[in-house]
Amino acid sequence: MSVQVALCQLRPVLGDAAQNLAAHHAWLDRAIEHEAGLAIFPELSLHGYFLRDLTQEVAVPVDHQVVQDLVARSRDCSLVFGFVEESPDHRFYNSVVFAEDGEVKHVHRKVHLPDYGIFEEGRYFAAGNEIGVVQSKHGRFGLLICEDAWHLSTGWLQFVQGADALILPSASPARGVDTEESELSSQASWHTLVAAHALFFQSWVFHCNRVGFEDGAMFWGGSSVLDPFGDRVAHAGQDEELILAKMDTGPLRRARMATPLRRDAKPDLVRREIARLLRDPDALEAGKPDSDAS
Amino acid sequence: MSLPPPPRCQVELAERVLCAFLREETQKVGFQRAVLGLSGGIDSALVVELAARAIGPEQVLAVAMPYRTSHPDSLRLAEESAAHAGVALEVVDISDAADAHMAAVPGLAEDMSELGKLRKGNIMSRTRMITLFDRSARDHALVYGTSNKTELMLGYGTIYGDMASGINPIGDLYKSQVYALSRHLGVPQEIVDRAPSADLWEGQTDEDEIGHSYDTVDAYLHYSIDRRFNRSELIRLGFEPELIDRLQRRVRHNQYKRRPPIIAKLAARTVNLDYRYARDWGV
């Protein structure tokens, strides 16, 4: 099985869904011209990132016409895009849709909302609480949005659910020129992260970051595709750019033969150990209420 | 004990990010042109180089605004810097305008006390601001700021004066990083070598006024602000407790200069408190 994947590294306009929707259509036209079977857009590609109070104003439910308009395009090409989702009970999620054959196949709601430094997602968004995978005609995909991927547990959960590829839409702002390296420190961290995901989860990785500025913060682009050995097979620069890579099963098979990490994973051991830790209130440090801060 | 060095600056990266920043944030708000004050010092010399690269030298107007006590080198170096960047220069002598403000306050012109000098310096700085924002309206040009991060952190600038701008490309670069990037962009050597000064009165230099060298201050600010070292870690790095206390006080005391005015909260949604939108939303 083989599919041409397009990463659409665009520059969303803050809070302007109509303009962004038109851009998505134009990028999809280009992707399809290049015979893409799957097109991936960055985090919040329909709405922009530093929305603050606009979050609630731009939010739409999945069945909204703006979303469905793009979903309809998935008859030509499967696609992943991001938007602010409003749930029936009026929570607001940072979500991505996987659409295929004119239908919503899966919605991933961002689980890990960064709320530190330049980020304030916890103020505006509700957190998703599921790390699933989607079975597509092109393979089995795990969707993780930006900060989700910084928690290795998420990728591991998709790894044990049999993901062939991890799709990581992001909106990563540029930070760190106080370095001697040739790239920003935020960019260097991401390169390590995506390579580690590909290598340790033996999956293709499609990282689609956005570009452009919002209130002085630059999103650095640098979208990339990594094969299941952790080698980068395609990458974008810092401007709007469409990059293509062919995903096929050959490298997946070879990587998993060379190092059978997936075969040897022990989810049952992890299940037992997590259950044990959750039973013992003193055993678990992460996520525990901070009762005795020193 | 030797202090850690001031923060590094990856100059190629910084140039790329800052030029993209100026281009996008200028054009996004409907401007093609920019205007900035050129003092003959390194900060504005750096910004004019960035501006010329970002939006094209023909779109940039530099304005030199000498006061009658300004050092003659300042105007000459401003001219040199504008020529180097290839941008047009308008010279506006602010002496009459600033003197009129000073003359309107009995006793101010003759007041040579520290406070008197400060007040007169502020008037000069705000007269320059008025000049720049007038050119901004005249030419439909965005005012580029030239305050660096060291000045912003120390509050070493005049609020609504030299600190006023539309967008500021160098507000996240410490002075030592301004030097590194200026050398990279070929800012004329004489400007790089000159002792930094607000040039508000004769013999004034930044480092005299601040009481420490920029390298020391920048190292302190970088470790304390960006790298979040705590007091005992800073002392272990070699910073004297007195220096830490003095600079920390100064940074805190000047927080008001870095924020818009405080608004008394009455309603459900108050500007900037819980009515929160990116400035880019207004585009």
Side-chain angles (χ1 to χ4, degrees), chain A residues 11 52-54 57 120 123-124 177-184 212-216 238, chain B residues 8-10 13 16-17 20-21 24-25 28 177 222 269 274-281:
Chain A
R11 175 192 277 105
R52 299 189 173 177
D53 285 6
L54 278 173
E57 294 167 29
E120 42 191 10
R123 179 184 169 95
Y124 294 104
V177 298
D178 51 338
T179 169
E180 280 166 1
E181 308 302 322
S182 60
E183 54 183 19
L184 298 150
F213 283 80
E214 285 181 6
D215 269 20
Q238 288 191 345
Chain B
R8 288 191 290 255
C9 180
Q10 217 291 10
L13 271 178
R16 202 163 71 220
V17 172
F21 163 80
E24 277 200 34
E25 295 288 10
K28 191 156 56 181
Q177 296 174 308
H222 176 65
R269 294 181 77 196
D274 38 23
Y275 176 82
R276 296 154 49 96
Y277 294 85
R279 203 171 89 169
D280 280 358
W281 166 57

Side-chain angles (χ1 to χ4, degrees), chain B residues 232-251:
Chain B
S232 56
E233 290 168 326
L234 290 166
I235 290 170
R236 274 203 294 280
L237 279 178
F239 293 102
E240 298 288 339
E242 298 72 26
L243 175 136
I244 295 171
D245 294 341
R246 197 161 47 239
L247 290 177
Q248 191 182 38
R249 233 183 356 257
R250 180 154 184 175
V251 168

Side-chain angles (χ1 to χ4, degrees), chain A residues 179-252:
Chain A
T179 169
E180 280 166 1
E181 308 302 322
S182 60
E183 54 183 19
L184 298 150
S185 32
S186 50
Q187 190 171 9
S189 309
W190 265 97
H191 285 162
T192 306
L193 186 146
V194 291
H197 275 69
L199 180 64
F200 296 121
F201 300 142
Q202 302 196 301
S203 306
W204 290 88
V205 170
F206 299 100
H207 172 219
C208 188
N209 192 27
R210 59 161 291 182
V211 294
F213 283 80
E214 285 181 6
D215 269 20
M218 184 185 88
F219 300 93
W220 50 267
S223 298
S224 60
V225 178
L226 292 99
D227 71 15
F229 293 95
D231 293 326
R232 198 162 73 172
V233 296
H235 70 280
Q238 288 191 345
D239 290 320
E240 286 198 315
E241 189 175 342
L242 183 125
I243 61 167
L244 296 157
K246 189 147 280 183
M247 166 182 157
D248 59 41
T249 48
L252 279 174

Side-chain angles (χ1 to χ4, degrees), chain B residues 4-279:
Chain B
R8 288 191 290 255
C9 180
Q10 217 291 10
V11 289
E12 287 89 5
L13 271 178
E15 177 189 355
R16 202 163 71 220
V17 172
L18 296 179
C19 287
F21 163 80
L22 287 175
R23 193 160 47 240
E24 277 200 34
E25 295 288 10
T26 302
Q27 292 168 358
K28 191 156 56 181
V29 291
F31 287 87
Q32 298 299 320
R33 299 179 51 77
V35 58
L36 77 155
L38 264 195
S39 67
I42 192 162
D43 299 307
S44 54
L46 171 58
V47 175
V48 79
E49 293 290 339
L50 290 167
R53 284 166 174 77
I55 61 171
E58 68 287 349
Q59 302 287 13
V60 180
L61 174 67
V63 187
M65 295 167 282
Y67 180 72
R68 53 187 166 73
T69 59
S70 300
H71 197 287
D73 282 354
S74 297
L75 180 58
R76 180 174 60 78
L77 291 171
E79 285 165 348
E80 201 172 310
S81 155
H84 187 270
V87 310
L89 180 75
E90 182 178 340
V91 180
V92 181
D93 188 315
I94 63 158
S95 304
D96 289 348
D99 284 347
H101 278 287
M102 294 176 207
V105 188
L108 178 58
E110 307 76 48
D111 187 347
M112 295 310 287
S113 69
E114 285 305 308
L115 180 61
K117 286 203 285 191
L118 178 78
R119 290 169 64 198
K120 285 185 276 192
N122 283 341
I123 286 175
M124 290 175 221
S125 180
R126 293 187 180 122
T127 305
R128 295 189 174 110
M129 177 276 293
I130 290 169
T131 307
L132 288 177
F133 277 82
D134 172 64
R135 274 31 175 203
S136 167
R138 184 191 71 189
D139 299 346
H140 195 60
L142 192 62
V143 177
Y144 284 179
T146 59
S147 297
N148 63 56
K149 189 172 186 174
T150 311
E151 291 174 341
L152 292 177
M153 293 320 304
L154 298 182
Y156 190 62
T158 298
I159 188 169
Y160 312 122
D162 52 285
M163 293 176 89
S165 69
I167 58 173
N168 177 356
I170 64 165
D172 209 13
L173 287 178
Y174 290 112
K175 188 78 174 190
S176 39
Q177 296 174 308
V178 165
Y179 275 102
L181 189 54
S182 298
R183 282 189 212 100
H184 169 67
L185 296 182
V187 166
Q189 193 61 40
E190 197 178 341
I191 295 175
V192 176
D193 292 341
R194 200 177 181 214
S197 166
D199 196 21
L200 296 173
W201 54 84
E202 207 182 325
Q204 182 188 27
T205 71
D206 292 1
E207 291 182 331
D208 274 357
E209 285 201 299
I210 294 168
H212 305 281
S213 73
Y214 270 120
D215 278 358
T216 300
V217 174
D218 286 357
Y220 164 79
L221 293 173
H222 176 65
Y223 275 94
S224 102
I225 291 166
D226 302 272
R227 302 188 65 174
R228 306 185 82 144
F229 277 47
N230 66 27
R231 195 170 191 280
S232 56
E233 290 168 326
L234 290 166
I235 290 170
R236 274 203 294 280
L237 279 178
F239 293 102
E240 298 288 339
E242 298 72 26
L243 175 136
I244 295 171
D245 294 341
R246 197 161 47 239
L247 290 177
Q248 191 182 38
R249 233 183 356 257
R250 180 154 184 175
V251 168
R252 266 179 66 179
H253 176 71
N254 284 289
Q255 174 67 359
Y256 74 99
K257 291 190 179 177
R258 295 184 288 266
R259 302 285 303 166
I262 287 179
I263 294 169
K265 181 160 180 66
L266 291 172
R269 294 181 77 196
T270 307
V271 170
N272 289 334
L273 280 179
D274 38 23
Y275 176 82
R276 296 154 49 96
Y277 294 85
R279 203 171 89 169

